[in-house]
Amino acid sequence: MKDLEIDNYLAEVVVAIDDLGGRVNLVGLCQGGWVSAMIAARFPEKVKALVLAGAPIDTDAGDGAIKRMAHESPISFYQELVALGGGLMKGKFMLRGWKNMNPEQHYIQDHIDLYEHIDDPVYLAKEETFNRWYEKPDRPAGQMVPPGDRTAL
């Protein structure tokens, strides 16, 4: 996927939209939000409604942790990460960066929350399912988990 251009990704989404009737409601989360915004901007006739959540449209907006991290790290840092990933920005690098933007939550509070709910099997099951997914960020893009197949998480 590293050799594809943005237009390749957009073309794939347009094919899916056409397969669904040619006009859709798009809901995009994170990078999917960015792609959805690009589709809406370039192909407005194909989008009935657009909903974005956590989409990295402008990392300079506001004064959040992503903006601070992006401005405090030299471009060579990101270039080295891409080189280490063989031309890709590996999900494991992004996950570490994400966690390090809020270290108190990810390295302390998460463990406190676990301890406080240690006798709650519903909470523990939810956390286990989420963490099995969250801690494996380098699955191929678009990989689907078959319904009921918890081993793929």
Side-chain angles (χ1 to χ4, degrees):
M1 300 199 68
K2 70 179 180 177
D3 297 321
L4 298 179
E5 301 286 333
I6 296 301
D7 286 337
N8 299 110
Y9 292 106
L10 297 180
E12 291 295 324
V13 174
V14 168
V15 167
I17 291 171
D18 289 343
D19 286 348
L20 293 169
R23 193 161 158 80
V24 297
N25 298 317
L26 279 179
V27 178
L29 171 65
C30 200
Q31 285 302 113
W34 186 87
V35 171
S36 295
M38 293 293 291
I39 290 289
R42 301 228 356 232
F43 306 98
E45 71 282 0
K46 297 199 172 286
V47 180
K48 291 181 202 173
L50 175 65
V51 176
L52 305 178
I57 303 297
D58 182 359
T59 58
D60 271 349
D63 189 32
I66 291 176
K67 177 181 179 179
R68 288 190 300 277
M69 185 176 76
H71 285 273
E72 292 170 2
S73 302
I75 191 68
S76 60
F77 170 73
Y78 299 103
Q79 291 168 333
E80 289 173 24
L81 289 176
V82 170
L84 285 170
L88 297 172
M89 176 61 86
K90 293 285 202 169
K92 66 182 178 182
F93 300 148
M94 295 183 71
L95 177 62
R96 293 299 161 239
W98 183 256
K99 286 182 170 185
N100 289 337
M101 284 188 283
N102 297 290
E104 64 287 340
Q105 175 63 47
H106 295 286
Y107 300 116
I108 299 170
Q109 189 61 47
D110 285 352
H111 293 91
I112 292 170
D113 292 345
L114 180 61
Y115 179 76
E116 289 176 347
H117 295 90
I118 199 72
D119 294 323
D120 181 348
V122 173
Y123 180 90
L124 295 177
K126 177 188 69 103
E127 284 297 301
E128 179 184 6
T129 299
F130 174 79
N131 284 314
R132 285 173 58 201
W133 166 79
Y134 186 67
E135 295 293 334
K136 293 182 183 178
D138 287 320
R139 289 177 303 236
Q143 178 177 339
M144 299 293 287
V145 176
D149 182 2
R150 299 180 62 107
T151 62
L153 290 175

